[in-house]
Amino acid sequence: MSIPIGLQLYSLREAAAQDFIGVLKTVAAMGYEGVEFAGYGGLQASELKTILGDLGLKAVGSHVGFQQLDQELNQVVDYNLELGNHYIICPAPPRELIAESTVDDWRAFAEKMTEIGMKVKEQGLQLGYHNHAWEFKTFDGEYVLDILYANTDGDSVIAEIDLGWTFHAGVDPVAYMQKHQDRCPLVHVKDFKRGGPQTEVGTGDIDLAGIVAAAPEVGIQWFIIETEEYNMDPKDSVRVGLENLKAVIQG
């Protein structure tokens, strides 16, 4: 059984801001099996759940900013329980950790993520963390992202590894997801030219075939395409990415 493909809706953020339900219909028509949210289009959870069901889409996950997780966790959990979404993903660290940070700052952030993750897990949901390229800076030869994972409880905070940003940081995405085997049920698939700009999935230099081959052993349950920069209309971009990833999966 092949691993299903979802779309991070941030990929179509401008269109979604104009017609959120229309974007969901378009994504379903393209052949995506699920969606990961970055906002809910102002819809109530019950309404959104009905729309997803009518379109045959699954809620794969939801990106929720750290500040909201820290300050409004009960509302976040309640919404996602009603929606039927299992994975709540922190998409980035607090801004001050990006600008300038120490090992102790990241350990403190990890402790906070574990605290939130345990509360989320008590409600039957799962917290995760999504990386960019900046988490591959090092302290004493150790990636910031590894420091974060080493200092979070593995059952409470899963790793949503963004394979494109990992590649862009100069790290082998296949080896990196294997390093965190059984902790990354969701991965983001985006593509870059080596040393260059982001591009449509399947048109850059990321090793899609290697990723697909390693995915079952790693424990990946969903591939989630995310494209933030385009060489064409965003809707065409995510359609091309889906077709290219499917072609690799189908061999």
Side-chain angles (χ1 to χ4, degrees), residues 51-62:
I51 293 167
L52 293 178
D54 290 344
L55 294 173
L57 289 171
K58 293 182 179 179
V60 181
S62 182

Side-chain angles (χ1 to χ4, degrees), residues 121-136:
K121 203 166 185 68
E122 286 174 0
Q123 301 298 316
L125 304 181
Q126 178 69 64
L127 182 69
Y129 181 82
H130 162 271
N131 66 278
H132 291 78
W134 55 70
E135 292 94 342
F136 289 98

Side-chain angles (χ1 to χ4, degrees), residues 72-92:
E72 303 173 14
L73 186 61
N74 289 339
Q75 297 96 308
V76 171
V77 167
D78 289 347
Y79 188 99
N80 282 278
L81 281 171
E82 187 170 0
L83 178 60
N85 170 52
H86 182 66
Y87 291 103
I88 298 172
I89 307 296
C90 179

Side-chain angles (χ1 to χ4, degrees), residues 39-167:
Y40 310 105
L43 299 173
Q44 296 296 316
S46 57
E47 183 182 4
L48 183 52
K49 183 176 182 179
T50 297
I51 293 167
L52 293 178
D54 290 344
L55 294 173
L57 289 171
K58 293 182 179 179
V60 181
S62 182
H63 277 200
V64 180
F66 176 75
Q67 185 175 1
Q68 190 176 1
L69 291 172
D70 189 33
Q71 299 178 3
E72 303 173 14
L73 186 61
N74 289 339
Q75 297 96 308
V76 171
V77 167
D78 289 347
Y79 188 99
N80 282 278
L81 281 171
E82 187 170 0
L83 178 60
N85 170 52
H86 182 66
Y87 291 103
I88 298 172
I89 307 296
C90 179
R95 289 188 179 274
E96 58 268 23
L97 265 70
I98 300 172
E100 188 174 350
S101 60
T102 66
V103 172
D104 287 341
D105 292 332
W106 281 95
R107 287 174 178 158
F109 176 57
E111 183 177 339
K112 187 64 178 178
M113 284 290 290
T114 294
E115 178 186 324
I116 295 170
M118 287 179 171
K119 291 178 181 177
V120 168
K121 203 166 185 68
E122 286 174 0
Q123 301 298 316
L125 304 181
Q126 178 69 64
L127 182 69
Y129 181 82
H130 162 271
N131 66 278
H132 291 78
W134 55 70
E135 292 94 342
F136 289 98
K137 72 177 182 180
T138 59
F139 290 109
D140 295 326
E142 188 175 11
Y143 295 133
V144 162
L145 193 54
D146 285 337
I147 293 170
L148 175 63
Y149 290 152
N151 288 277
T152 48
D153 175 67
D155 290 331
S156 300
V157 184
I158 61 107
E160 183 181 66
I161 297 172
D162 189 305
L163 301 169
W165 283 121
T166 301
F167 173 79

Side-chain angles (χ1 to χ4, degrees), residues 124-244:
L125 304 181
Q126 178 69 64
L127 182 69
Y129 181 82
H130 162 271
N131 66 278
H132 291 78
W134 55 70
E135 292 94 342
F136 289 98
K137 72 177 182 180
T138 59
F139 290 109
D140 295 326
E142 188 175 11
Y143 295 133
V144 162
L145 193 54
D146 285 337
I147 293 170
L148 175 63
Y149 290 152
N151 288 277
T152 48
D153 175 67
D155 290 331
S156 300
V157 184
I158 61 107
E160 183 181 66
I161 297 172
D162 189 305
L163 301 169
W165 283 121
T166 301
F167 173 79
H168 191 59
V171 177
D172 179 354
V174 175
Y176 196 75
M177 70 182 193
Q178 288 172 328
K179 182 178 182 178
H180 295 285
Q181 188 164 312
D182 299 324
R183 195 176 176 176
C184 50
L186 313 177
V187 291
H188 270 203
V189 182
K190 60 166 53 78
D191 211 343
F192 285 85
K193 297 292 187 181
R194 190 176 299 279
Q198 191 176 148
T199 187
E200 282 68 37
V201 170
T203 66
D205 292 314
I206 196 171
D207 181 12
L208 281 184
I211 289 166
V212 168
E217 182 181 356
V218 169
I220 292 171
Q221 298 172 11
W222 279 89
F223 293 122
I224 302 170
I225 286 179
E226 182 184 39
T227 303
E228 300 157 306
E229 300 174 13
Y230 322 93
N231 295 306
M232 57 189 75
D233 181 273
K235 291 179 182 178
D236 291 331
S237 176
V238 298
R239 182 183 294 108
V240 166
L242 176 63
E243 291 170 353
N244 288 341

